[in-house]
Amino acid sequence: MSGNDQTSGASHNIRALISNAASGAAAGAIAATFVCPLDVIKTRLQVHGLPHGQKGSVIVTGLKNIVRNEGFRGMYRGLSPTILALLPNWAVYFTSYEQLKALLRSRDGCNELTTIGNIIAAAGAGAATAISTNPLWVVKTRLQTQGMRPGVVPYKSVLSALTRITHEEGIRGLYSGIVPSLAGVSHVAIQFPAYEKIKSYMAEKDNTTVDKLTPGSVAIASSISKVFASVMTYPHEVIRSRLQEQGQAKNIGVQYAGVIDCTKKVFQKEGIAGFYRGCATNLLRTTPSAVITFTSYEMIHRFLEQTMPRDKGPTPEASGTDRGKPPSQSNTKSSSIPPGNKEHLTRH
């Protein structure tokens, strides 16, 4: 391969990475803003359970209480760290995911990964993302629940929260809930193969190819797979939220010594239902969040593909190869969305 071909291939990789990361971050930010009020209610239900004497709709009552006690801004607590976390979240995820896929392809000596290979790549990227962004998710949880802790000095901003947590609790505080977060990688391992299977089924039904599915079809596939994965793995979110939040409750001391202790206490006090607090609210925000995220991603990605400057040197197609791939494969444009922990688009 000539130097021009290598330069062109590298330029193509960089363009694809920037386009995917920018599209994903923007789509995630749009979706996070839209569903933030539901995310606040979900997080509070995970941490504190149902309010005593709760009657009527949990969501409607929760929104009324937030507006009455904390004002309109209360519905958007934790939005700043959510959006801030999405930027490195996507950058780390896409970079790790593509690198792992390339590594697995080189080991297997083939261009297409098996389902197991895709799961390994997605899970590895998810783990790297969880470790990189956990401090911001801790801040988000604290900001969303501090309105229910009148005896605790509130955090003034994201920077204030990060500084105080580091000073008062150390690195351990910033990485509280990391174990269940890593366990949440199982969410990707369930969601991704389900997502791919549903897309394949829809493409076959519509007599088309996966890369030509409409944004609406992609959104439907993502929603179904997201709901399925969320129900299967939701308990880890409750454990994670409680571990992340407890450092703020200085007046009552540490409630949970760790993941096992938290799991035991939740089960003893609330039973199986305790592990699904906020699940209904989470599912109600999953569908619109998925539709917004995937539709936004498709539109933004297509726009960037059209507007981003392309390398004017010899293209891989002109030389008959695309980084070692047959021309037939290099000409196939995939518009599907790479898998990931889209909560964090929606976090988690």
Side-chain angles (χ1 to χ4, degrees):
M1 181 179 292
S2 68
N4 285 337
D5 289 337
Q6 291 178 336
T7 302
S8 179
S11 176
H12 175 76
N13 286 340
I14 294 173
R15 285 185 67 258
L17 180 62
I18 293 175
S19 179
N20 284 332
S23 302
I30 293 171
T33 302
F34 185 82
V35 302
C36 189
L38 290 176
D39 190 40
V40 172
I41 294 175
K42 181 209 72 171
T43 301
R44 294 186 178 190
L45 286 172
Q46 287 177 342
V47 173
H48 301 291
L50 286 171
H52 181 68
Q54 171 69 44
K55 294 181 180 180
S57 171
V58 173
I59 296 175
V60 174
T61 303
L63 289 174
K64 287 181 178 178
N65 289 336
I66 292 173
V67 173
R68 182 174 62 251
N69 299 326
E70 305 168 50
F72 182 77
R73 290 182 61 183
M75 294 193 298
Y76 288 89
R77 292 193 182 279
L79 180 60
S80 295
T82 297
I83 293 178
L84 286 175
L86 285 173
L87 302 180
N89 187 88
W90 282 104
V92 172
Y93 182 83
F94 281 116
T95 302
S96 303
Y97 182 67
E98 292 301 328
Q99 291 297 319
L100 286 171
K101 284 202 303 183
L103 178 62
L104 291 171
R105 284 198 192 100
S106 65
R107 287 176 61 89
D108 294 341
C110 60
N111 290 323
E112 294 297 325
L113 284 181
T114 62
T115 300
I116 297 298
N118 278 319
I119 290 175
I120 293 173
T129 302
I131 293 172
S132 303
T133 61
N134 195 77
L136 288 172
W137 298 117
V138 171
V139 170
K140 186 213 79 162
T141 301
R142 300 281 182 90
L143 289 175
Q144 287 184 338
T145 58
Q146 70 178 5
M148 303 179 74
R149 297 287 191 185
V152 177
V153 177
Y155 300 117
K156 297 179 180 179
S157 63
V158 174
L159 182 59
S160 168
L162 286 171
T163 303
R164 279 183 52 190
I165 293 172
T166 303
H167 177 71
E168 297 170 5
E169 305 170 44
I171 297 298
R172 185 174 181 177
L174 293 174
Y175 280 89
S176 55
I178 187 63
V179 174
S181 289
L182 290 174
V185 170
S186 60
H187 185 110
V188 177
I190 295 174
Q191 182 187 5
F192 180 45
Y195 174 63
E196 291 298 325
K197 291 293 184 182
I198 295 171
K199 284 200 305 181
S200 297
Y201 170 77
M202 295 180 74
E204 183 178 353
K205 183 178 179 182
D206 295 340
N207 195 29
T208 185
T209 57
V210 171
D211 60 302
K212 292 183 180 180
L213 284 174
T214 64
S217 296
V218 173
I220 292 173
S222 67
S223 298
I224 295 173
S225 61
K226 183 68 176 180
V227 169
F228 179 67
S230 294
V231 172
M232 294 292 290
T233 63
Y234 190 78
H236 93 273
E237 293 194 36
V238 174
I239 302 301
R240 184 194 66 229
S241 292
R242 297 199 180 196
L243 290 174
Q244 289 178 344
E245 191 271 346
Q246 68 176 358
Q248 191 181 42
K250 297 294 185 182
N251 57 326
I252 60 175
V254 178
Q255 290 179 287
Y256 310 112
V259 174
I260 296 177
D261 183 54
C262 183
T263 303
K264 287 180 178 178
K265 288 181 177 177
V266 171
F267 181 73
Q268 290 171 355
K269 185 177 180 180
E270 306 172 53
I272 296 297
F275 293 105
Y276 284 89
R277 297 295 185 200
C279 186
T281 304
N282 183 57
L283 293 179
L284 284 175
R285 75 183 179 84
T286 295
T287 301
S289 178
V291 170
I292 293 169
T293 301
F294 283 84
T295 303
S296 299
Y297 179 95
E298 289 286 350
M299 297 301 103
I300 296 171
H301 186 269
R302 292 174 188 177
F303 173 76
L304 291 176
E305 284 289 303
Q306 293 174 355
T307 58
M308 288 182 68
R310 296 178 179 274
D311 180 49
K312 296 182 180 180
T315 62
E317 287 82 356
S319 63
T321 61
D322 182 9
R323 288 175 291 147
K325 296 181 181 179
S328 61
Q329 290 183 347
S330 65
N331 291 333
T332 302
K333 179 182 178 182
S334 174
S335 62
S336 63
I337 299 174
N341 175 5
K342 299 217 164 44
E343 164 99 17
H344 291 145
L345 295 181
T346 74
R347 158 95 158 163
H348 263 305

